[in-house]
Amino acid sequence: MLEWSAVTMASHLCLAVAIACAFVNAVSVRRTWQFPSSSAVFVRLEGPIFAIAAALMVERFYYVIARFLVKSELNLWQAHPAPEMLSFSVAAAVFWLACAIRYLEGSQGAARRTVIVQTICICTLFASVAWGFW
């Protein structure tokens, strides 16, 4: 039906869910905040924040270049699976931040269970949308 567009759509939906997970995790962890210094928090979050920035820069540059080349023979919009992988990389980076935020919580067991459930939900969403609309 949609072929590669289904994978792109699934990647974008996973990005939206990953952003929602990061927001929900931040709100949940904020209630049990127990860190004495902000430097300890920054050390745990700097990797995911850098990954998000890097993934967004690569994705946005790809789309800018694709717009410049839209009238040429090189069609980057149809260069599958590049657009899908770029969307997925941003989603993965945002979800890494969501997990890092959740692990700031005092109870590591509860954090681990939450991250496992969120991971299963995102993977199920991706697989069902990509496969269902292919």
Side-chain angles (χ1 to χ4, degrees), residues 18-43:
I19 291 169
C21 288
F23 178 75
V24 168
N25 290 351
V27 170
S28 297
V29 168
R30 187 170 184 265
R31 284 188 253 143
T32 60
W33 196 254
Q34 297 176 359
F35 277 93
S37 72
S38 61
S39 63
V41 173
F42 183 73
V43 167

Side-chain angles (χ1 to χ4, degrees), residues 25-69:
N25 290 351
V27 170
S28 297
V29 168
R30 187 170 184 265
R31 284 188 253 143
T32 60
W33 196 254
Q34 297 176 359
F35 277 93
S37 72
S38 61
S39 63
V41 173
F42 183 73
V43 167
R44 286 186 144 182
L45 299 181
E46 67 183 342
I49 290 170
F50 175 77
I52 291 169
L56 281 172
M57 286 189 315
V58 170
E59 183 189 42
R60 294 296 103 195
F61 280 126
Y62 180 89
Y63 290 130
V64 167
I65 292 168
R67 286 286 177 202
F68 276 122
L69 299 175

